[in-house]
Amino acid sequence: MTSFVFRRQVTVEFGHCDPAGIVFITRLFQYFDTSTWMLFEAALGVDQRDFNATFGILPLVDVRASCMKPLAFGEVIEIASRVTEFRRSSFHVEHHIRIDGELAVDGGETRVWAVRNKDDPEKITARPVPDEVIARFER
Amino acid sequence: MTSFVFRRQVTVEFGHCDPAGIVFITRLFQYFDTSTWMLFEAALGVDQRDFNATFGILPLVDVRASCMKPLAFGEVIEIASRVTEFRRSSFHVEHHIRIDGELAVDGGETRVWAVRNKDDPEKITARPVPDEVIARFER
Amino acid sequence: MTSFVFRRQVTVEFGHCDPAGIVFITRLFQYFDTSTWMLFEAALGVDQRDFNATFGILPLVDVRASCMKPLAFGEVIEIASRVTEFRRSSFHVEHHIRIDGELAVDGGETRVWAVRNKDDPEKITARPVPDEVIARFER
Amino acid sequence: MTSFVFRRQVTVEFGHCDPAGIVFITRLFQYFDTSTWMLFEAALGVDQRDFNATFGILPLVDVRASCMKPLAFGEVIEIASRVTEFRRSSFHVEHHIRIDGELAVDGGETRVWAVRNKDDPEKITARPVPDEVIARFER
């Protein structure tokens, strides 16, 4: 487990909520995806827009979420994100959403470290995660 | 106004609706966008995936919607879409959403007929709408 | 594992896709959620709109997806959904997305069988899944 | 035109963008809707969650957007929102999205000032916008 944690606050928007008045499941994964981009931007000091050119792409292979407490319209939630494991050419990120300090959603995602083929940008190839990348997640 | 009308039925999904239990405004424009793709696919006989390569891209410049009647979860709506005007290098599409034959939403969008620059795909250039394209919308 | 499988075809819409040109992760869970509603509607013969009044609500507690193959704009995918287990007051649904018969996404969700309190609709209470409900998933 | 302008910055998220790499049209209306909620919250000093109970609901009747410049992934945009007109029982909000001070999107929406019927919450009735509400938008 790496030590660098990226935290941000999000206010639940009206349009994020379903007829039950709570955050619709799809939105959790929007929150997670954006937090992963921000986590890498913060850890590596690379603007999101330059990330692909500098490092590669990070296709999702596994995602999950466990919901302990519904998130309601107007609530301010805190999302804490951390790389829990770097494997050879993939890594796992955990996302914890808390309301008033209480864990509401426990989520996770596994992504591949990959680059596009120069000759055929439609094709991607998994690559070992560079050591200097891993080092940046230790603070 | 061209004579070819593309019609499709959509069932309003739970996740399309907001805490008031009705279709959230953003979804109307998802419905419209997809109907425009399907309208061009049907009129021109070109698969959506090949459209850009064959003809070009169709960036939106203006969109609007007037809501007369809310659309609720589980309702079956009919979306009728038609090109109402071809201008030199743009065109206007109207979208009418009806429930049980009654007009619920009256929407419209204006798009530019454009191609990507071969040397710099980030740049796009407006082009006259080809006559053979316009002809396909008259049935 | 119950025997009733609900299958539907979905064409991947332009607005479902991200800058990489493939279905954005959030959309998978929109597909799954809607398939679960349709599965229950088909198995129980109850209109989605009457479901809550007749049976109760089905809050999500766990969701997951494993992505084997990206889904691209314009592709026709098949989603097959089935209740794999009824527990006392919850159940698990598996969703398989296939392209040309090949498994592309393997997803799942666990939901609670619950009802709203009559005196306080904000509060919900888990209830045993009725035997007659379970019976309808055996065909 | 009222004088109170609500401004906020939004960073365009990866999941807001379409295969062309720019903000998909539906997201503009998510930005606008949330800005309207925040505008009223700021002007009236009422938490979004208490708004309906205190004042009423604000169903959309007309929305529109004109796109002058595409919004790209990772860009920081500024959204400025202002009530341009209060009519008897409706009002108009304009939303201007700027990038580096340059107008990129010019949008607008008309909403009805309405309350739910106490006896039948499914029904809503338009009401005159209270004078004390209008006064709060003059600063």
Side-chain angles (χ1 to χ4, degrees), chain C residues 6-12 35 38 75-80:
Chain C
F6 180 79
R7 290 187 171 83
R8 65 183 181 119
Q9 285 191 325
V10 172
T11 301
V12 173
S35 279
M38 295 173 88
E75 276 182 328
V76 178
I77 62 176
E78 191 203 64
I79 310 174

Side-chain angles (χ1 to χ4, degrees), chain B residues 5-8 78-82 94-98:
Chain B
V5 180
F6 180 79
R7 290 188 170 83
R8 66 182 179 118
E78 191 204 63
I79 310 176
S81 305
R82 177 202 302 241
E94 85 180 5
H95 301 283
H96 286 164
I97 298 180
R98 286 191 174 80

Side-chain angles (χ1 to χ4, degrees), chain B residues 8 11 36 38 72 120 125 129 134:
Chain B
R8 66 182 179 118
T11 301
T36 296
M38 295 173 88
D120 180 0
T125 311
V129 186
I134 297 175

Side-chain angles (χ1 to χ4, degrees), chain A residues 19-20 24-27 29-30 33 60-68 116, chain C residues 19-20 24-27 29-30 33 60-68 116:
Chain A
F24 189 58
I25 188 70
T26 63
R27 298 293 178 165
F29 294 98
Q30 172 83 51
D33 186 76
L60 276 168
V61 286
D62 277 298
V63 296
R64 54 159 293 277
S66 297
C67 308
M68 277 76 93
R116 292 195 182 283
Chain C
F24 189 58
I25 187 68
T26 63
R27 297 293 178 166
F29 295 97
Q30 173 83 50
D33 186 76
L60 277 167
V61 287
D62 278 296
V63 296
R64 54 161 291 278
S66 298
C67 308
M68 276 77 92
R116 293 195 181 283

